[in-house]
Every structure is written in C-alpha cells, then in structure tokens.
Amino acid sequence: MLNSPLVIEQSERFAAGLLKAPFPGDEQRVEAAFERALGRQPSSAERTRALAFIQDFEAALPAGSAEKNRGEAWRAFCHTLFASSEFRYVE
C-alpha cells in the first residue's frame, strides 16, 4: 500500500503544498506537516530528526536542480509520515 502510486502521488501533493505555503522556515513546515498528518505537534526530538532527515536526503541526491531536490526530500519526508503507524492506525 505505501508504495502504491496513489500514496506516492499524495506524498508529492502534500510536500508541494507545504513548500508553497508562506512558512518562515522549515521548522514551521515540519510542525504543519505533523499537525496535518498526525493531528499533533512534533516533539522536540521528532522535529530535530525530521529536519535532519530532510537535509540528509537532499544532500544524498545527485547534483541537479536545487528546487527539484528540495521537493524530492520533502516528498520523502511526507511519505514517512504516511508510513508511520500513528498515521495508519486510529487509537
């Protein structure tokens, strides 16, 4: 399910929306992603790990369009939120 074309497309749309929104920085963007996907704010550790994931993912991509690589890193982050058990299961 998580690698289905639908989930990947939704990850791309989610990331694109976050990147287009007028947030002052990536910390606020991560907070908005958690709020929208999980209905809560990230802990300090989750925020730090999310920002590191995005930065590391972007750095690992081949040199190319900075905008494209940034979008791909955010898409991967959004996909991880969708893959989380907290997103998939209602408590």
Side-chain angles (χ1 to χ4, degrees), residues 57-91:
F57 195 97
E58 190 172 354
L61 292 171
S65 166
E67 185 177 334
K68 181 181 177 196
N69 287 355
R70 181 164 167 76
E72 185 61 24
W74 276 92
R75 187 220 43 88
F77 168 67
C78 292
H79 199 169
T80 65
L81 288 177
F82 293 161
S84 71
S85 61
E86 190 174 351
F87 178 81
R88 292 180 288 135
Y89 298 102
V90 177
E91 290 186 13

Side-chain angles (χ1 to χ4, degrees), residues 1 10-11 15 21 23 31 38 41 44 49 55 57 59 65 68 71 74 83-84:
M1 176 188 106
Q10 292 308 308
S11 299
F23 292 109
E31 290 171 2
L38 306 178
Q41 289 294 304
S44 177
R49 285 192 310 260
Q55 181 180 10
F57 195 97
S65 166
K68 181 181 177 196
W74 276 92
S84 71

Side-chain angles (χ1 to χ4, degrees), residues 34-53:
F34 267 78
E35 184 66 40
R36 291 176 191 170
L38 306 178
R40 66 174 179 82
Q41 289 294 304
S43 68
S44 177
E46 288 172 325
R47 184 181 307 104
T48 299
R49 285 192 310 260
L51 291 167
F53 173 86

Side-chain angles (χ1 to χ4, degrees), residues 17-33 36:
L18 290 168
L19 290 170
K20 287 179 186 173
F23 292 109
D26 285 343
E27 284 190 17
Q28 293 79 16
R29 207 167 265 113
V30 166
E31 290 171 2
R36 291 176 191 170

